[in-house]
């Protein structure tokens, strides 16, 4: 199994666990850290709708809690015919722990559909470097 296959399988397993009783739209995300570990997350909705969280946020939280802080690649998986690209907020969340060339792979049930660099999805981004120039 290739590294990307493994990351896809981790994202799909997390998607199965998603708690999405309101949107019925289950999302999974899996991060390969630069240190070579995999961290997965799923969306977790809430009866108070805005309090729900995205799959990417869960995966990032798991990574940080385990002591890793750099993303090498991420797979995001969702169902339906449209590409499940990370939402705007999650692009910024990924940005915090990734570089412009970090790969974001967008998957459907059958596998990876398209791959983007972070810079393609969040060009001219604001990040930690902006705050070190003060
Ligand atoms: N969702 C994610 O988990 N990640 C994204 O990048 C896009 C949206 C979730 C949030 C919500 O639970 C459901 O998908 C529908 O928006």
């Amino acid at each position: 199994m290739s590294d990307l296959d493994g990351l896809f399988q981790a994202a799909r397993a997390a998607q199965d666990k998603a708690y999405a009783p309101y949107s019925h739209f289950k999302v999974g995300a899996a991060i390969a850290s630069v240190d070579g570990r995999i961290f997965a997350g799923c969306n977790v909705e809430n009866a108070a709708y805005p309090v729900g969280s995205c799959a990417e946020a869960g995966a990032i939280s798991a990574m940080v809690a385990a002591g890793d802080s750099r993303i090498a690649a991420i797979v995001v998986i969702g169902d339906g015919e449209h590409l499940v690209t990370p939402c705007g907020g999650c692009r910024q969340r990924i940005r915090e722990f990734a570089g412009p060339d970090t790969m974001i792979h967008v998957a459907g049930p059958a596998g990876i559909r398209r791959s983007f660099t972070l810079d393609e999805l969040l060009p001219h981004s604001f990040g930690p470097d902006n705050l070190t120039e003060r």
Side-chain angles (χ1 to χ4, degrees), residues 19-20 22-29 41-46 49 52-57 76-77 84-91:
Y19 177 75
Y22 307 109
S23 73
H24 303 288
F25 192 75
K26 292 180 158 204
V27 182
C42 59
N43 54 333
V44 180
E45 297 184 346
N46 193 285
Y49 291 178
S53 56
C54 285
E56 299 90 325
V76 181
I77 181 171
V84 182
T85 43
C87 75
C90 285
R91 294 177 195 202

Side-chain angles (χ1 to χ4, degrees):
M1 194 195 295
S2 75
D3 287 355
L4 189 52
D5 281 343
L7 206 56
F8 170 75
Q9 301 292 353
R12 194 163 62 177
Q15 182 195 20
D16 283 345
K17 298 282 196 302
Y19 177 75
Y22 307 109
S23 73
H24 303 288
F25 192 75
K26 292 180 158 204
V27 182
I31 290 169
S33 73
V34 167
D35 290 342
R37 297 197 282 178
I38 290 178
F39 302 98
C42 59
N43 54 333
V44 180
E45 297 184 346
N46 193 285
Y49 291 178
V51 183
S53 56
C54 285
E56 299 90 325
I60 288 170
S61 188
M63 177 187 75
V64 172
D68 284 5
S69 59
R70 296 305 297 168
I71 297 173
I74 179 165
V75 170
V76 181
I77 181 171
D79 296 333
E81 63 177 299
H82 299 289
L83 283 179
V84 182
T85 43
C87 75
C90 285
R91 294 177 195 202
Q92 187 67 39
R93 289 188 180 94
I94 294 166
R95 166 68 181 87
E96 187 73 14
F97 304 102
D101 298 328
T102 299
M103 294 308 299
I104 298 171
H105 304 283
V106 179
I112 305 295
R113 288 174 161 163
R114 269 190 74 173
S115 299
F116 303 89
T117 63
L118 174 61
D119 197 53
E120 286 179 287
L121 296 185
L122 194 68
H124 308 290
S125 64
F126 184 91
D129 292 349
N130 290 82
L131 301 181
T132 60
E133 286 162 10
R134 288 177 299 165

